[in-house]
Amino acid sequence: SNPIYLTPWGGLMSQSGWDYTAQRYHFQAKVQLNGSLSFNDIIRTTVLQGLPVVLGLRDNGGRYFPAFAGGGHFLIAVGGNSGGVPVVDSSLYKITFLPLDEFNYLWTGETIIITPA
């Protein structure tokens, strides 16, 4: 049987879950950690290439979105400029835009770009 990559109670259980899930739908996932992509790289990817970028967020200080403490949350950047990024969010916060200061505080440096295989 396959490893448990995603669960209803814990969400993403392993970074391997991105590629495993993407492949099941004939896509590939490029996971980059530790800020391999810069803020400007994210903007270029969304605006110039038209590719959404999954962002890993965490708010351990409870400054903006306390529910994002601990395990964090993922949302999707779909554009942006020097002021921040428009996003698609599945959380109860229903975030639609992250101003640059919030982005800088929340972003873990993790990005995932999913493209056709």
PDB file of all heavy atoms in Angstrom, residues 39 43 55 57 63-65 68 75 77 79-87 94-107:
ATOM      1  N   PHE A  39      10.921  36.452  -3.189  1.00  0.00           N
ATOM      2  CA  PHE A  39       9.618  37.084  -3.407  1.00  0.00           C
ATOM      3  C   PHE A  39       9.479  37.473  -4.879  1.00  0.00           C
ATOM      4  O   PHE A  39       8.459  37.215  -5.506  1.00  0.00           O
ATOM      5  CB  PHE A  39       9.471  38.318  -2.496  1.00  0.00           C
ATOM      6  CG  PHE A  39       8.203  39.076  -2.729  1.00  0.00           C
ATOM      7  CD1 PHE A  39       7.012  38.633  -2.173  1.00  0.00           C
ATOM      8  CD2 PHE A  39       8.186  40.224  -3.504  1.00  0.00           C
ATOM      9  CE1 PHE A  39       5.824  39.326  -2.389  1.00  0.00           C
ATOM     10  CE2 PHE A  39       7.014  40.918  -3.725  1.00  0.00           C
ATOM     11  CZ  PHE A  39       5.825  40.473  -3.161  1.00  0.00           C
ATOM     12  N   ILE A  43       6.695  36.366  -7.802  1.00  0.00           N
ATOM     13  CA  ILE A  43       5.924  37.307  -8.631  1.00  0.00           C
ATOM     14  C   ILE A  43       6.144  37.004 -10.115  1.00  0.00           C
ATOM     15  O   ILE A  43       5.196  36.936 -10.896  1.00  0.00           O
ATOM     16  CB  ILE A  43       6.308  38.767  -8.309  1.00  0.00           C
ATOM     17  CG1 ILE A  43       6.062  39.088  -6.833  1.00  0.00           C
ATOM     18  CG2 ILE A  43       5.560  39.741  -9.225  1.00  0.00           C
ATOM     19  CD1 ILE A  43       4.684  38.771  -6.330  1.00  0.00           C
ATOM     20  N   LEU A  55       2.317  28.482  -1.347  1.00  0.00           N
ATOM     21  CA  LEU A  55       3.174  29.081  -0.328  1.00  0.00           C
ATOM     22  C   LEU A  55       2.929  28.420   1.019  1.00  0.00           C
ATOM     23  O   LEU A  55       1.777  28.255   1.425  1.00  0.00           O
ATOM     24  CB  LEU A  55       2.862  30.577  -0.171  1.00  0.00           C
ATOM     25  CG  LEU A  55       3.009  31.455  -1.408  1.00  0.00           C
ATOM     26  CD1 LEU A  55       2.491  32.850  -1.100  1.00  0.00           C
ATOM     27  CD2 LEU A  55       4.450  31.500  -1.870  1.00  0.00           C
ATOM     28  N   LEU A  57       2.931  28.853   4.914  1.00  0.00           N
ATOM     29  CA  LEU A  57       2.843  29.951   5.879  1.00  0.00           C
ATOM     30  C   LEU A  57       2.804  29.399   7.295  1.00  0.00           C
ATOM     31  O   LEU A  57       2.328  28.300   7.536  1.00  0.00           O
ATOM     32  CB  LEU A  57       1.561  30.767   5.665  1.00  0.00           C
ATOM     33  CG  LEU A  57       1.301  31.350   4.292  1.00  0.00           C
ATOM     34  CD1 LEU A  57      -0.009  32.130   4.312  1.00  0.00           C
ATOM     35  CD2 LEU A  57       2.437  32.230   3.839  1.00  0.00           C
ATOM     36  N   ARG A  63       0.294  36.862  15.148  1.00  0.00           N
ATOM     37  CA  ARG A  63       0.164  38.273  14.779  1.00  0.00           C
ATOM     38  C   ARG A  63      -0.996  38.524  13.807  1.00  0.00           C
ATOM     39  O   ARG A  63      -1.712  39.503  13.925  1.00  0.00           O
ATOM     40  CB  ARG A  63       1.475  38.759  14.170  1.00  0.00           C
ATOM     41  CG  ARG A  63       1.504  40.254  13.926  1.00  0.00           C
ATOM     42  CD  ARG A  63       2.778  40.718  13.274  1.00  0.00           C
ATOM     43  NE  ARG A  63       3.948  40.436  14.100  1.00  0.00           N
ATOM     44  CZ  ARG A  63       5.194  40.682  13.697  1.00  0.00           C
ATOM     45  NH1 ARG A  63       5.424  41.174  12.484  1.00  0.00           N
ATOM     46  NH2 ARG A  63       6.209  40.408  14.487  1.00  0.00           N
ATOM     47  N   TYR A  64      -1.162  37.658  12.818  1.00  0.00           N
ATOM     48  CA  TYR A  64      -2.181  37.874  11.786  1.00  0.00           C
ATOM     49  C   TYR A  64      -3.251  36.785  11.778  1.00  0.00           C
ATOM     50  O   TYR A  64      -4.443  37.085  11.717  1.00  0.00           O
ATOM     51  CB  TYR A  64      -1.537  37.957  10.398  1.00  0.00           C
ATOM     52  CG  TYR A  64      -0.581  39.101  10.237  1.00  0.00           C
ATOM     53  CD1 TYR A  64       0.791  38.888  10.219  1.00  0.00           C
ATOM     54  CD2 TYR A  64      -1.044  40.407  10.113  1.00  0.00           C
ATOM     55  CE1 TYR A  64       1.682  39.945  10.071  1.00  0.00           C
ATOM     56  CE2 TYR A  64      -0.171  41.466   9.969  1.00  0.00           C
ATOM     57  CZ  TYR A  64       1.192  41.235   9.950  1.00  0.00           C
ATOM     58  OH  TYR A  64       2.068  42.278   9.807  1.00  0.00           O
ATOM     59  N   PHE A  65      -2.816  35.517  11.759  1.00  0.00           N
ATOM     60  CA  PHE A  65      -3.740  34.400  11.609  1.00  0.00           C
ATOM     61  C   PHE A  65      -3.361  33.317  12.616  1.00  0.00           C
ATOM     62  O   PHE A  65      -2.639  32.375  12.276  1.00  0.00           O
ATOM     63  CB  PHE A  65      -3.708  33.853  10.174  1.00  0.00           C
ATOM     64  CG  PHE A  65      -3.923  34.912   9.127  1.00  0.00           C
ATOM     65  CD1 PHE A  65      -2.863  35.406   8.385  1.00  0.00           C
ATOM     66  CD2 PHE A  65      -5.185  35.442   8.923  1.00  0.00           C
ATOM     67  CE1 PHE A  65      -3.067  36.393   7.432  1.00  0.00           C
ATOM     68  CE2 PHE A  65      -5.397  36.437   7.978  1.00  0.00           C
ATOM     69  CZ  PHE A  65      -4.330  36.917   7.227  1.00  0.00           C
ATOM     70  N   PHE A  68      -2.784  29.560  12.051  1.00  0.00           N
ATOM     71  CA  PHE A  68      -1.652  29.103  11.244  1.00  0.00           C
ATOM     72  C   PHE A  68      -0.416  28.835  12.096  1.00  0.00           C
ATOM     73  O   PHE A  68       0.671  28.641  11.577  1.00  0.00           O
ATOM     74  CB  PHE A  68      -1.293  30.108  10.156  1.00  0.00           C
ATOM     75  CG  PHE A  68      -2.368  30.353   9.134  1.00  0.00           C
ATOM     76  CD1 PHE A  68      -2.225  31.367   8.211  1.00  0.00           C
ATOM     77  CD2 PHE A  68      -3.530  29.590   9.085  1.00  0.00           C
ATOM     78  CE1 PHE A  68      -3.192  31.623   7.259  1.00  0.00           C
ATOM     79  CE2 PHE A  68      -4.509  29.839   8.138  1.00  0.00           C
ATOM     80  CZ  PHE A  68      -4.339  30.862   7.219  1.00  0.00           C
ATOM     81  N   LEU A  75      -1.366  28.270   1.064  1.00  0.00           N
ATOM     82  CA  LEU A  75      -2.309  28.952   0.185  1.00  0.00           C
ATOM     83  C   LEU A  75      -1.614  29.207  -1.137  1.00  0.00           C
ATOM     84  O   LEU A  75      -0.429  28.920  -1.291  1.00  0.00           O
ATOM     85  CB  LEU A  75      -2.901  30.205   0.820  1.00  0.00           C
ATOM     86  CG  LEU A  75      -2.007  31.239   1.475  1.00  0.00           C
ATOM     87  CD1 LEU A  75      -1.182  31.994   0.474  1.00  0.00           C
ATOM     88  CD2 LEU A  75      -2.881  32.200   2.248  1.00  0.00           C
ATOM     89  N   ALA A  77      -0.472  31.654  -4.277  1.00  0.00           N
ATOM     90  CA  ALA A  77      -0.228  32.979  -4.847  1.00  0.00           C
ATOM     91  C   ALA A  77      -0.609  32.927  -6.320  1.00  0.00           C
ATOM     92  O   ALA A  77      -0.204  32.004  -7.035  1.00  0.00           O
ATOM     93  CB  ALA A  77       1.233  33.367  -4.696  1.00  0.00           C
ATOM     94  N   GLY A  79      -0.581  35.988  -8.333  1.00  0.00           N
ATOM     95  CA  GLY A  79      -0.141  37.225  -8.966  1.00  0.00           C
ATOM     96  C   GLY A  79       0.702  37.987  -7.976  1.00  0.00           C
ATOM     97  O   GLY A  79       1.221  37.411  -7.021  1.00  0.00           O
ATOM     98  N   GLY A  80       0.813  39.293  -8.194  1.00  0.00           N
ATOM     99  CA  GLY A  80       1.504  40.103  -7.216  1.00  0.00           C
ATOM    100  C   GLY A  80       2.296  41.238  -7.803  1.00  0.00           C
ATOM    101  O   GLY A  80       2.479  41.360  -9.005  1.00  0.00           O
ATOM    102  N   ASN A  81       2.741  42.090  -6.903  1.00  0.00           N
ATOM    103  CA  ASN A  81       3.610  43.220  -7.232  1.00  0.00           C
ATOM    104  C   ASN A  81       4.350  43.593  -5.955  1.00  0.00           C
ATOM    105  O   ASN A  81       4.263  42.871  -4.959  1.00  0.00           O
ATOM    106  CB  ASN A  81       2.788  44.390  -7.801  1.00  0.00           C
ATOM    107  CG  ASN A  81       1.691  44.836  -6.851  1.00  0.00           C
ATOM    108  OD1 ASN A  81       1.892  44.962  -5.641  1.00  0.00           O
ATOM    109  ND2 ASN A  81       0.512  45.085  -7.395  1.00  0.00           N
ATOM    110  N   SER A  82       5.038  44.713  -5.953  1.00  0.00           N
ATOM    111  CA  SER A  82       5.859  45.078  -4.799  1.00  0.00           C
ATOM    112  C   SER A  82       5.030  45.304  -3.533  1.00  0.00           C
ATOM    113  O   SER A  82       5.572  45.311  -2.438  1.00  0.00           O
ATOM    114  CB  SER A  82       6.676  46.330  -5.110  1.00  0.00           C
ATOM    115  OG  SER A  82       5.804  47.410  -5.412  1.00  0.00           O
ATOM    116  N   GLY A  83       3.719  45.448  -3.680  1.00  0.00           N
ATOM    117  CA  GLY A  83       2.854  45.668  -2.522  1.00  0.00           C
ATOM    118  C   GLY A  83       2.368  44.400  -1.839  1.00  0.00           C
ATOM    119  O   GLY A  83       1.912  44.430  -0.699  1.00  0.00           O
ATOM    120  N   GLY A  84       2.471  43.254  -2.544  1.00  0.00           N
ATOM    121  CA  GLY A  84       1.996  42.010  -1.953  1.00  0.00           C
ATOM    122  C   GLY A  84       1.484  41.057  -3.008  1.00  0.00           C
ATOM    123  O   GLY A  84       1.700  41.266  -4.207  1.00  0.00           O
ATOM    124  N   VAL A  85       0.789  40.011  -2.538  1.00  0.00           N
ATOM    125  CA  VAL A  85       0.330  38.977  -3.458  1.00  0.00           C
ATOM    126  C   VAL A  85      -1.151  38.661  -3.274  1.00  0.00           C
ATOM    127  O   VAL A  85      -1.615  38.456  -2.161  1.00  0.00           O
ATOM    128  CB  VAL A  85       1.135  37.653  -3.298  1.00  0.00           C
ATOM    129  CG1 VAL A  85       2.515  37.776  -3.858  1.00  0.00           C
ATOM    130  CG2 VAL A  85       1.199  37.218  -1.872  1.00  0.00           C
ATOM    131  N   PRO A  86      -1.909  38.624  -4.389  1.00  0.00           N
ATOM    132  CA  PRO A  86      -3.261  38.084  -4.319  1.00  0.00           C
ATOM    133  C   PRO A  86      -3.155  36.569  -4.152  1.00  0.00           C
ATOM    134  O   PRO A  86      -2.272  35.941  -4.746  1.00  0.00           O
ATOM    135  CB  PRO A  86      -3.891  38.461  -5.661  1.00  0.00           C
ATOM    136  CG  PRO A  86      -2.761  38.784  -6.566  1.00  0.00           C
ATOM    137  CD  PRO A  86      -1.564  39.103  -5.721  1.00  0.00           C
ATOM    138  N   VAL A  87      -4.030  36.023  -3.322  1.00  0.00           N
ATOM    139  CA  VAL A  87      -3.944  34.600  -3.000  1.00  0.00           C
ATOM    140  C   VAL A  87      -5.312  33.943  -3.031  1.00  0.00           C
ATOM    141  O   VAL A  87      -6.348  34.606  -2.933  1.00  0.00           O
ATOM    142  CB  VAL A  87      -3.304  34.378  -1.602  1.00  0.00           C
ATOM    143  CG1 VAL A  87      -1.858  34.847  -1.584  1.00  0.00           C
ATOM    144  CG2 VAL A  87      -4.112  35.057  -0.515  1.00  0.00           C
ATOM    145  N   LYS A  94     -10.338  32.934   4.651  1.00  0.00           N
ATOM    146  CA  LYS A  94     -10.652  33.330   3.263  1.00  0.00           C
ATOM    147  C   LYS A  94      -9.804  34.530   2.815  1.00  0.00           C
ATOM    148  O   LYS A  94     -10.321  35.516   2.298  1.00  0.00           O
ATOM    149  CB  LYS A  94     -12.147  33.646   3.094  1.00  0.00           C
ATOM    150  CG  LYS A  94     -13.052  32.472   3.434  1.00  0.00           C
ATOM    151  CD  LYS A  94     -12.921  31.381   2.416  1.00  0.00           C
ATOM    152  CE  LYS A  94     -13.879  30.238   2.689  1.00  0.00           C
ATOM    153  NZ  LYS A  94     -13.278  28.946   2.494  1.00  0.00           N
ATOM    154  N   ILE A  95      -8.497  34.426   3.020  1.00  0.00           N
ATOM    155  CA  ILE A  95      -7.575  35.504   2.663  1.00  0.00           C
ATOM    156  C   ILE A  95      -7.566  35.674   1.142  1.00  0.00           C
ATOM    157  O   ILE A  95      -7.513  34.693   0.396  1.00  0.00           O
ATOM    158  CB  ILE A  95      -6.157  35.162   3.163  1.00  0.00           C
ATOM    159  CG1 ILE A  95      -6.177  34.915   4.667  1.00  0.00           C
ATOM    160  CG2 ILE A  95      -5.165  36.273   2.808  1.00  0.00           C
ATOM    161  CD1 ILE A  95      -4.957  34.173   5.177  1.00  0.00           C
ATOM    162  N   THR A  96      -7.606  36.918   0.672  1.00  0.00           N
ATOM    163  CA  THR A  96      -7.559  37.179  -0.768  1.00  0.00           C
ATOM    164  C   THR A  96      -6.318  37.971  -1.169  1.00  0.00           C
ATOM    165  O   THR A  96      -5.984  38.028  -2.348  1.00  0.00           O
ATOM    166  CB  THR A  96      -8.802  37.957  -1.240  1.00  0.00           C
ATOM    167  OG1 THR A  96      -8.885  39.184  -0.508  1.00  0.00           O
ATOM    168  CG2 THR A  96     -10.071  37.146  -1.016  1.00  0.00           C
ATOM    169  N   PHE A  97      -5.631  38.581  -0.202  1.00  0.00           N
ATOM    170  CA  PHE A  97      -4.432  39.371  -0.499  1.00  0.00           C
ATOM    171  C   PHE A  97      -3.530  39.389   0.725  1.00  0.00           C
ATOM    172  O   PHE A  97      -4.006  39.576   1.844  1.00  0.00           O
ATOM    173  CB  PHE A  97      -4.803  40.806  -0.873  1.00  0.00           C
ATOM    174  CG  PHE A  97      -3.636  41.631  -1.338  1.00  0.00           C
ATOM    175  CD1 PHE A  97      -3.151  41.515  -2.630  1.00  0.00           C
ATOM    176  CD2 PHE A  97      -3.018  42.532  -0.482  1.00  0.00           C
ATOM    177  CE1 PHE A  97      -2.069  42.272  -3.060  1.00  0.00           C
ATOM    178  CE2 PHE A  97      -1.940  43.290  -0.901  1.00  0.00           C
ATOM    179  CZ  PHE A  97      -1.465  43.165  -2.198  1.00  0.00           C
ATOM    180  N   LEU A  98      -2.231  39.163   0.497  1.00  0.00           N
ATOM    181  CA  LEU A  98      -1.243  39.280   1.568  1.00  0.00           C
ATOM    182  C   LEU A  98      -0.359  40.486   1.280  1.00  0.00           C
ATOM    183  O   LEU A  98       0.448  40.458   0.343  1.00  0.00           O
ATOM    184  CB  LEU A  98      -0.352  38.036   1.633  1.00  0.00           C
ATOM    185  CG  LEU A  98      -0.876  36.807   2.336  1.00  0.00           C
ATOM    186  CD1 LEU A  98       0.170  35.683   2.254  1.00  0.00           C
ATOM    187  CD2 LEU A  98      -1.225  37.095   3.778  1.00  0.00           C
ATOM    188  N   PRO A  99      -0.512  41.572   2.042  1.00  0.00           N
ATOM    189  CA  PRO A  99       0.406  42.699   1.885  1.00  0.00           C
ATOM    190  C   PRO A  99       1.845  42.234   2.157  1.00  0.00           C
ATOM    191  O   PRO A  99       2.068  41.256   2.878  1.00  0.00           O
ATOM    192  CB  PRO A  99      -0.049  43.693   2.950  1.00  0.00           C
ATOM    193  CG  PRO A  99      -1.452  43.293   3.282  1.00  0.00           C
ATOM    194  CD  PRO A  99      -1.510  41.802   3.075  1.00  0.00           C
ATOM    195  N   LEU A 100       2.817  42.929   1.587  1.00  0.00           N
ATOM    196  CA  LEU A 100       4.208  42.501   1.666  1.00  0.00           C
ATOM    197  C   LEU A 100       4.678  42.262   3.095  1.00  0.00           C
ATOM    198  O   LEU A 100       5.359  41.269   3.366  1.00  0.00           O
ATOM    199  CB  LEU A 100       5.114  43.524   0.973  1.00  0.00           C
ATOM    200  CG  LEU A 100       6.591  43.143   0.892  1.00  0.00           C
ATOM    201  CD1 LEU A 100       6.795  41.816   0.184  1.00  0.00           C
ATOM    202  CD2 LEU A 100       7.378  44.244   0.205  1.00  0.00           C
ATOM    203  N   ASP A 101       4.307  43.120   4.047  1.00  0.00           N
ATOM    204  CA  ASP A 101       4.776  42.927   5.420  1.00  0.00           C
ATOM    205  C   ASP A 101       4.201  41.647   6.028  1.00  0.00           C
ATOM    206  O   ASP A 101       4.903  40.918   6.730  1.00  0.00           O
ATOM    207  CB  ASP A 101       4.484  44.146   6.305  1.00  0.00           C
ATOM    208  CG  ASP A 101       3.017  44.513   6.361  1.00  0.00           C
ATOM    209  OD1 ASP A 101       2.237  44.090   5.485  1.00  0.00           O
ATOM    210  OD2 ASP A 101       2.635  45.241   7.299  1.00  0.00           O
ATOM    211  N   GLU A 102       2.941  41.329   5.747  1.00  0.00           N
ATOM    212  CA  GLU A 102       2.348  40.078   6.233  1.00  0.00           C
ATOM    213  C   GLU A 102       3.011  38.884   5.560  1.00  0.00           C
ATOM    214  O   GLU A 102       3.320  37.888   6.208  1.00  0.00           O
ATOM    215  CB  GLU A 102       0.838  40.050   5.973  1.00  0.00           C
ATOM    216  CG  GLU A 102       0.053  41.005   6.843  1.00  0.00           C
ATOM    217  CD  GLU A 102      -1.442  40.913   6.608  1.00  0.00           C
ATOM    218  OE1 GLU A 102      -1.939  39.818   6.250  1.00  0.00           O
ATOM    219  OE2 GLU A 102      -2.115  41.945   6.788  1.00  0.00           O
ATOM    220  N   PHE A 103       3.236  38.983   4.252  1.00  0.00           N
ATOM    221  CA  PHE A 103       3.901  37.910   3.516  1.00  0.00           C
ATOM    222  C   PHE A 103       5.255  37.613   4.144  1.00  0.00           C
ATOM    223  O   PHE A 103       5.589  36.464   4.426  1.00  0.00           O
ATOM    224  CB  PHE A 103       4.067  38.308   2.044  1.00  0.00           C
ATOM    225  CG  PHE A 103       4.885  37.332   1.248  1.00  0.00           C
ATOM    226  CD1 PHE A 103       4.277  36.279   0.597  1.00  0.00           C
ATOM    227  CD2 PHE A 103       6.268  37.461   1.165  1.00  0.00           C
ATOM    228  CE1 PHE A 103       5.026  35.358  -0.130  1.00  0.00           C
ATOM    229  CE2 PHE A 103       7.023  36.553   0.447  1.00  0.00           C
ATOM    230  CZ  PHE A 103       6.401  35.503  -0.201  1.00  0.00           C
ATOM    231  N   ASN A 104       6.059  38.657   4.361  1.00  0.00           N
ATOM    232  CA  ASN A 104       7.404  38.469   4.909  1.00  0.00           C
ATOM    233  C   ASN A 104       7.373  37.833   6.294  1.00  0.00           C
ATOM    234  O   ASN A 104       8.236  37.037   6.639  1.00  0.00           O
ATOM    235  CB  ASN A 104       8.162  39.795   4.952  1.00  0.00           C
ATOM    236  CG  ASN A 104       8.596  40.236   3.573  1.00  0.00           C
ATOM    237  OD1 ASN A 104       8.844  39.414   2.689  1.00  0.00           O
ATOM    238  ND2 ASN A 104       8.675  41.534   3.383  1.00  0.00           N
ATOM    239  N   TYR A 105       6.371  38.164   7.089  1.00  0.00           N
ATOM    240  CA  TYR A 105       6.264  37.615   8.436  1.00  0.00           C
ATOM    241  C   TYR A 105       5.800  36.150   8.414  1.00  0.00           C
ATOM    242  O   TYR A 105       6.288  35.333   9.178  1.00  0.00           O
ATOM    243  CB  TYR A 105       5.280  38.457   9.256  1.00  0.00           C
ATOM    244  CG  TYR A 105       4.982  37.882  10.616  1.00  0.00           C
ATOM    245  CD1 TYR A 105       5.860  38.048  11.677  1.00  0.00           C
ATOM    246  CD2 TYR A 105       3.811  37.162  10.832  1.00  0.00           C
ATOM    247  CE1 TYR A 105       5.589  37.516  12.923  1.00  0.00           C
ATOM    248  CE2 TYR A 105       3.532  36.615  12.076  1.00  0.00           C
ATOM    249  CZ  TYR A 105       4.416  36.790  13.123  1.00  0.00           C
ATOM    250  OH  TYR A 105       4.138  36.250  14.347  1.00  0.00           O
ATOM    251  N   LEU A 106       4.866  35.819   7.529  1.00  0.00           N
ATOM    252  CA  LEU A 106       4.214  34.512   7.532  1.00  0.00           C
ATOM    253  C   LEU A 106       4.927  33.436   6.706  1.00  0.00           C
ATOM    254  O   LEU A 106       4.848  32.258   7.035  1.00  0.00           O
ATOM    255  CB  LEU A 106       2.778  34.641   7.006  1.00  0.00           C
ATOM    256  CG  LEU A 106       1.825  35.490   7.834  1.00  0.00           C
ATOM    257  CD1 LEU A 106       0.580  35.820   7.025  1.00  0.00           C
ATOM    258  CD2 LEU A 106       1.469  34.779   9.127  1.00  0.00           C
ATOM    259  N   TRP A 107       5.591  33.833   5.633  1.00  0.00           N
ATOM    260  CA  TRP A 107       6.134  32.866   4.684  1.00  0.00           C
ATOM    261  C   TRP A 107       7.265  32.066   5.312  1.00  0.00           C
ATOM    262  O   TRP A 107       8.197  32.625   5.893  1.00  0.00           O
ATOM    263  CB  TRP A 107       6.613  33.580   3.436  1.00  0.00           C
ATOM    264  CG  TRP A 107       7.089  32.686   2.344  1.00  0.00           C
ATOM    265  CD1 TRP A 107       6.506  31.529   1.912  1.00  0.00           C
ATOM    266  CD2 TRP A 107       8.241  32.878   1.525  1.00  0.00           C
ATOM    267  NE1 TRP A 107       7.227  30.992   0.873  1.00  0.00           N
ATOM    268  CE2 TRP A 107       8.297  31.804   0.611  1.00  0.00           C
ATOM    269  CE3 TRP A 107       9.219  33.850   1.461  1.00  0.00           C
ATOM    270  CZ2 TRP A 107       9.296  31.680  -0.344  1.00  0.00           C
ATOM    271  CZ3 TRP A 107      10.211  33.730   0.506  1.00  0.00           C
ATOM    272  CH2 TRP A 107      10.254  32.655  -0.379  1.00  0.00           C
TER     273      TRP A 107
END
